[in-house]
């Protein structure tokens, strides 16, 4: 068994997690969450997004959050930018890494960003161009890689095609999102075998949702396929506003517990991470979505 010695986590809770919350979350609570995550040793934190506030009202305060966070040395604080307008807002907020997001399904692309896959890639061109000119790193997402809430099954070749185009355009890493959490260890391995013919494994990341309870199994399958970067969300926060059934993301605490149990280094302090998850769950007045968080802190509201 040839597992990576080190795995990099990309913490998406403050963005992918909180974007889904209907009620207003105070900027101070978002800032506290990001700072707690930095203290817990996360090296990459997705803080917010510069999208239309009409589409995702919860992310409207992202510039204020960026202005108030304590930037720990060596930590990357990134934001989602769907177009040049969002990119420019991100630059004004002092963001130094952004992510563009495409989908492997046409229907999801329309619902999420109001355009076809091809049109979305065209929109990303000027973002990548401007980012290159300013020395800003760009990550690429592909959503619905193992199934779509509107189209059902997704052909792995289609995922490989979109991921490959993002890679060719200059995204340094492509995160493959099982947005509705329908993947299994078998379908995950098959997908990665196909996509890895187009994008090197070292440039791929896994982004799993736990809707069917398969996220950790899918991480393990990905580790066996040589993937060493995973997105996760503290306390299992989140989902996607344009994907019904996309319940929580894989909880960061559960991911770290798995990885440390395998002897894989992450640089993350699990008790501090679990405390951060417990704190934001209390703020949101919801049950902690991490099983490890529940085990360490009890599962009361
Ligand atoms: P649109 O309506 O087609 O945009 O939305 P438009 O270009 O026609 O502009 C319409 C209005 O939006 C204009 O304002 C623009 O200024 C404004 P008006 O003149 O009418 O007052 N606008 C913006 N405002 C702020 N920031 C911007 C921006 N762009 C235009 N960047 C658009 C197209 C892409 C903007 C919209 O569909 C959108 O914002 N979508 C974002 C949806 C989103 O954030 N989804 C969640 C993230 S994806 C995800 O969660 C999945 C992932 O986690 C992986 C996984 O789990 O699988 C990544
Ligand atoms: Mg997600």
């Amino acid at each position: 068994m040839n597992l990576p010695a080190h795995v990099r986590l990309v913490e998406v809770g403050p963005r992918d997690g909180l974007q889904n919350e209907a009620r207003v979350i105070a900027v101070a609570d978002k800032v506290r969450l990001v700072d707690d995550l930095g203290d817990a040793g996360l090296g990459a934190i997705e803080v917010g997004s510069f999208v239309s506030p009409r589409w995702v009202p919860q992310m409207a305060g992202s510039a204020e959050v960026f202005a108030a966070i304590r930037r720990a040395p060596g930590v990357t604080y990134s934001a989602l930018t769907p177009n040049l307008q969002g990119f420019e807002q991100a630059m004004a907020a002092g963001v130094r890494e952004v992510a563009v997001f495409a989908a492997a399904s046409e229907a999801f692309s329309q619902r999420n960003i109001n355009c076809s896959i091809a049109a979305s890639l065209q929109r990303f061109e000027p973002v990548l161009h401007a980012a290159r000119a300013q020395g800003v790193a760009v990550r690429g997402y592909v959503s619905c890689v193992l199934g779509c809430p509107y189209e059902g099954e997704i052909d792995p070749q289609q995922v490989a095609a979109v991921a490959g185009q993002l890679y060719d355009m200059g995204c340094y890493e492509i995160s493959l999102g099982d947005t509705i959490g329908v993947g299994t260890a078998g379908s995950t391995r098959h997908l990665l075998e196909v996509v890895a013919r187009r994008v090197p494994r070292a440039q791929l990341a896994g982004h799993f949702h736990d809707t069917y309870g398969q996220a950790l199994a899918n991480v393990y399958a990905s580790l066996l396929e040589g993937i060493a970067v995973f997105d996760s969300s503290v306390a299992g926060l989140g989902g996607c506003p344009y994907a019904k059934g996309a319940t929580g993301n894989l909880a960061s605490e559960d991911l770290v517990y798995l990885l440390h149990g395998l002897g894989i280094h992450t640089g993350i302090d699990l008790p501090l991470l679990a405390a951060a998850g417990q704190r934001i769950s209390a703020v949101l007045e919801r049950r902690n979505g991490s099983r490890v968080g529940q085990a360490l802190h009890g599962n009361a509201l």
Side-chain angles (χ1 to χ4, degrees), residues 22-292:
R23 72 163 209 225
V24 179
I25 303 163
V27 167
D29 287 324
K30 294 180 181 175
V31 170
R32 174 71 195 258
L33 174 62
V34 172
D35 288 346
D36 283 352
L37 292 166
D39 290 343
L42 266 311
I45 304 173
E46 209 172 68
V47 173
S49 54
F50 293 88
V51 299
S52 163
R54 252 183 260 156
W55 286 64
V56 185
Q58 190 60 254
M59 290 291 110
S62 289
E64 291 163 83
V65 178
F66 269 101
I69 53 175
R70 181 164 36 80
R71 294 183 195 236
V75 180
T76 301
Y77 298 93
S78 63
L80 245 56
T81 55
N83 51 22
L84 198 54
Q85 189 176 335
F87 178 79
E88 280 162 2
Q89 288 169 17
M91 292 305 100
V95 179
R96 298 307 298 159
E97 178 172 325
V98 300
V100 293
F101 47 110
S105 133
E106 285 293 350
F108 185 80
S109 183
Q110 287 292 348
R111 298 283 215 297
N112 193 39
I113 49 176
N114 205 24
C115 65
S116 67
I117 298 169
S120 74
L121 295 170
Q122 260 175 20
R123 258 187 212 169
F124 301 153
E125 280 286 4
V127 174
L128 277 139
H129 190 261
R132 207 172 301 123
Q134 299 182 49
V136 169
V138 184
R139 196 169 192 248
Y141 279 102
V142 186
S143 287
C144 296
V145 299
L146 288 162
C148 167
Y150 313 109
E151 289 181 13
E153 273 184 38
I154 295 293
D155 181 355
Q157 298 290 352
Q158 167 70 3
V159 180
V162 178
Q165 286 179 77
L166 288 170
Y167 184 60
D168 292 347
M169 285 164 70
C171 293
Y172 76 90
E173 184 171 276
I174 313 298
S175 171
L176 301 174
D178 181 13
T179 312
I180 52 170
V182 290
T184 62
S187 61
T188 298
R189 287 198 82 162
H190 177 57
L191 172 75
L192 290 170
E193 279 165 21
V194 173
V195 177
R197 287 182 216 137
R198 184 68 176 79
V199 179
R201 284 164 206 256
Q203 268 67 54
L204 291 174
H207 178 118
F208 296 105
H209 284 241
D210 208 27
T211 322
Y212 285 79
Q214 303 300 302
L216 281 179
N218 295 341
V219 167
Y220 191 65
S222 305
L223 288 168
L224 294 175
E225 286 295 326
I227 305 303
V229 183
F230 296 96
D231 304 349
S232 61
S233 176
V234 69
L237 297 173
C240 175
Y242 294 100
K244 197 163 179 290
T247 53
N249 289 270
L250 167 60
S252 306
E253 300 91 315
D254 300 5
L255 174 58
V256 170
Y257 188 85
L258 170 78
L259 295 172
H260 289 183
L262 289 167
I264 296 173
H265 178 259
T266 65
I268 292 166
D269 182 318
L270 183 55
L272 280 183
L273 177 63
Q278 190 64 11
R279 191 172 299 115
I280 189 66
S281 301
V283 168
L284 299 175
E285 296 175 316
R286 64 159 55 188
R287 192 172 179 208
N288 190 331
S290 159
R291 297 295 291 268
V292 169

